[in-house]
Amino acid sequence: MDLGIAGRRAVVAGGSSGLGLASAKALAEEDVRVAICGRNEDRLRSAAAVIGHECVPIVADVSTPEGACQFVEAAWSALGGVDILVPNAGATSRQLRKYRDRCLPGSA
């Protein structure tokens, strides 16, 4: 399926397993450059290898605003920007807006 998103850049929180991993794989299959995060470096590297397509693994704990910002900033640097955000990390929409506003000023 061609979703018309080839060449975009995506960050996927919790991308080392479950829905995050599946989302990252689906995006990579659409030729989207993907960065994923997780807390366990070994699982993260394994997931990045499964995803392929030069997936960028970033160790980060997005359960805190600081960790979420660290992940987005590292992904932004590695990918040269961010077009797609998959906040797969058990946060409320209010928390996610707060993280977005703190990490990506002017992105709303």
Side-chain angles (χ1 to χ4, degrees):
M1 175 185 324
D2 181 4
L3 299 176
I5 57 175
R8 302 285 174 106
R9 300 155 299 190
V11 295
V12 181
S16 62
S17 65
L19 290 173
L21 176 58
S23 298
K25 284 172 59 176
L27 288 163
E29 289 169 3
E30 290 291 323
D31 291 322
V32 172
R33 295 180 58 214
V34 179
I36 60 172
C37 79
R39 294 178 295 211
N40 182 296
E41 186 172 4
D42 292 334
R43 279 186 22 185
L44 195 57
R45 291 194 184 284
S46 295
V50 167
I51 295 164
H53 300 273
E54 300 180 21
C55 177
V56 178
I58 298 169
V59 177
D61 180 357
V62 296
S63 68
T64 67
E66 295 76 21
C69 287
Q70 175 210 2
F71 170 50
V72 173
E73 289 167 356
W76 187 289
S77 178
L79 300 175
V82 174
D83 302 303
I84 301 166
L85 173 64
V86 181
N88 176 53
T92 66
S93 60
R94 174 181 276 169
Q95 288 170 312
L96 293 173
R97 282 192 301 275
K98 184 169 120 180
Y99 294 173
R100 179 202 62 208
D101 294 344
R102 181 184 281 180
C103 297
L104 300 170
S107 66

